[in-house]
């Protein structure tokens, strides 16, 4: 086989994806990096100001609050979204005949747009005629202002977590399907079953997949926008980095500072993902 002659065909197939990444990922990133050194009012009115936007970034208290809100949702996502997905995957893995059915059922929310899910939860949280308060009223309890300043962020975290549980569930089920049955047969002989089998056998064998899922969950949290914008209009102390960047870039027409916030989001995501991978660093188990 002539490997050198085949390389040109490999590049032909790689070119469309490389072009896609260049146009929709790398070009916007470097364009944002370029704009971050300017004070702008719209696309055409810009003035070079060097590192001033980054100096403003460091002292921006609203950005600090948005970062804390994003990190809070990130904690909910890592604990509940990934945790529930893993728990469901372990349970479904023990009933192989219905595995395909549960994959479809749990994955279904992923195909629904975040905006549609947000509108659904707006109806749930409505103070006067929402589903949750109707249930509370029917039980003789007082209604709750679900989107108050103290409750709003947690209320937004619920649909955020629910939306992608099915996606990570499918990843975990696929990872578990690659584990040889011999491992489980040996565990059965040793009397290892139930929760102990999950902790000592299943999770260690798919730890590389768990790290990938946690990394996806972290980066996904940094992109949260629609749930916050639709459910609370980014008010009542619910601004996250996505909505804050949008306000600065699109509402205030300050593309320079909005681009600086975008660069900050990228750096923050990379740093947290690297820390998470380092904390979860384990020896690779091969089978």
């Amino acid at each position: 086989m002539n490997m050198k002659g085949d390389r040109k065909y490999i590049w032909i197939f790689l070119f469309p994806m490389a072009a896609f990444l260049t146009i929709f990922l790398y070009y916007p990133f470097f364009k944002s990096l370029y704009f971050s050194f300017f004070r702008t009012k719209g696309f055409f009115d810009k003035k070079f100001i060097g590192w001033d936007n980054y100096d403003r970034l460091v002292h921006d208290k609203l950005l600090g609050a948005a970062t804390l809100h994003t990190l809070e949702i990130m904690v909910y996502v890592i604990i509940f979204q990934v945790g529930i997905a893993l728990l469901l995957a372990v349970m479904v893995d023990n009933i192989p005949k219905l595995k395909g059915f549960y994959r479809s059922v749990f994955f279904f929310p992923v195909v629904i747009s975040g905006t549609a899910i947000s509108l659904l939860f707006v109806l749930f949280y409505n103070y006067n005629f929402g589903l949750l308060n109707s249930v509370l009223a029917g039980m003789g309890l007082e209604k709750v202002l679900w989107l108050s300043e103290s409750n709003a962020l947690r209320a937004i975290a619920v649909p955020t977590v629910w939306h992608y549980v099915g996606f990570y569930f499918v990843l975990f089920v696929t990872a578990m399907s690659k584990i040889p049955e011999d491992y489980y047969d040996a565990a059965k002989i040793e009397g290892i079953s139930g929760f102990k089998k999950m902790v000592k056998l299943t999770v260690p064998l798919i730890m590389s997949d768990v790290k990938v899922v946690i990394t996806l969950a972290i980066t996904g949290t940094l992109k949260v926008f629609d749930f916050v914008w639709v459910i609370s209009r980014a008010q009542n102390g619910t601004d996250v980095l996505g909505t804050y960047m949008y306000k600065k870039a699109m509402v205030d027409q300050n593309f320079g500072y909005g681009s600086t916030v975008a660069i900050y989001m990228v750096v923050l995501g990379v740093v947290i993902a690297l820390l998470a991978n380092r904390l979860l660093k384990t020896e690779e188990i091969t089978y």
Side-chain angles (χ1 to χ4, degrees):
M1 183 180 293
N2 185 4
M3 293 300 294
K4 290 185 177 180
D6 291 337
R7 286 179 182 175
K8 61 181 180 181
Y9 298 107
I10 295 174
W11 282 111
I12 290 174
F13 287 103
L14 287 176
F15 177 76
M17 182 53 67
F20 182 87
L21 290 174
T22 300
I23 295 171
F24 295 103
L25 180 63
Y26 298 118
Y27 174 75
F29 175 78
F30 286 108
K31 193 70 174 179
S32 296
L33 185 62
Y34 168 77
F35 268 111
S36 69
F37 293 102
F38 290 85
R39 179 185 293 115
T40 61
K41 193 66 176 177
F43 276 108
F44 304 106
D45 183 10
K46 63 179 185 290
K47 178 183 178 182
F48 181 77
I49 56 173
W51 296 95
D52 285 5
N53 279 328
Y54 290 93
D55 182 65
R56 176 182 174 183
L57 191 81
V58 173
H59 298 93
D60 191 341
K61 293 182 179 179
L62 293 178
L63 177 71
T67 302
L68 291 176
H69 297 156
T70 301
L71 293 176
E72 183 176 340
I73 293 179
M74 191 178 293
V75 171
Y76 296 143
V77 164
I78 292 173
I79 294 175
F80 295 106
Q81 196 175 69
V82 178
I84 292 172
L86 180 59
L87 185 61
L88 290 174
V90 170
M91 291 190 294
V92 169
D93 193 55
N94 291 316
I95 43 176
K97 289 185 178 179
L98 295 175
K99 192 177 293 186
F101 170 75
Y102 283 112
R103 278 188 181 185
S104 301
V105 171
F106 293 143
F107 190 78
F108 180 71
V110 180
V111 303
I112 306 174
S113 74
T115 303
I117 293 175
S118 300
L119 290 172
L120 178 66
F121 274 82
V122 166
L123 297 177
F124 286 168
Y125 293 141
N126 186 276
Y127 182 80
N128 295 314
F129 55 83
L131 175 64
L132 296 179
N133 278 341
S134 296
V135 172
L136 291 176
M139 296 171 63
L141 301 174
E142 291 186 7
K143 293 181 179 180
V144 175
L145 187 60
W146 297 101
L147 298 179
S148 66
E149 190 166 347
S150 59
N151 295 326
L153 200 63
R154 289 191 292 271
I156 291 168
V158 173
T160 305
V161 168
W162 178 67
H163 190 205
Y164 265 82
V165 165
F167 177 71
Y168 301 137
F169 160 79
V170 170
L171 294 182
F172 284 137
V173 168
T174 303
M176 290 175 188
S177 66
K178 297 183 293 184
I179 300 176
E181 284 297 324
D182 295 346
Y183 283 69
Y184 291 117
D185 293 338
K188 190 175 182 180
I189 293 172
E190 294 291 332
I192 301 174
S193 60
F195 181 77
K196 193 174 181 180
K197 182 179 73 173
M198 181 185 76
V199 173
K200 291 186 174 293
L201 181 63
T202 304
V203 173
L205 288 172
I206 63 168
M207 184 52 68
S208 60
D209 300 274
V210 172
K211 291 196 292 186
V212 170
V213 167
I214 289 177
T215 302
L216 290 173
I218 289 170
T219 56
T221 305
L222 292 171
K223 296 184 291 183
V224 169
F225 173 83
D226 41 9
F227 292 109
V228 179
W229 196 260
V230 175
I231 294 176
S232 70
R233 302 296 179 185
Q235 297 173 354
N236 288 345
T238 59
D239 242 334
V240 293
L241 289 174
T243 56
Y244 188 71
M245 179 192 68
Y246 177 82
K247 286 180 178 179
K248 293 302 172 185
M250 300 301 174
V251 178
D252 297 345
Q253 290 289 294
N254 190 344
F255 296 111
Y257 190 61
S259 297
T260 310
V261 176
I263 298 298
Y264 166 73
M265 291 170 62
V266 172
V267 173
L268 181 66
V270 170
V271 170
I272 295 176
L274 289 174
L275 288 174
N277 275 278
R278 182 173 289 274
L279 290 174
L280 293 170
K281 187 176 182 180
T282 56
E283 289 187 11
E284 195 71 26
I285 300 176
T286 57
Y287 45 84

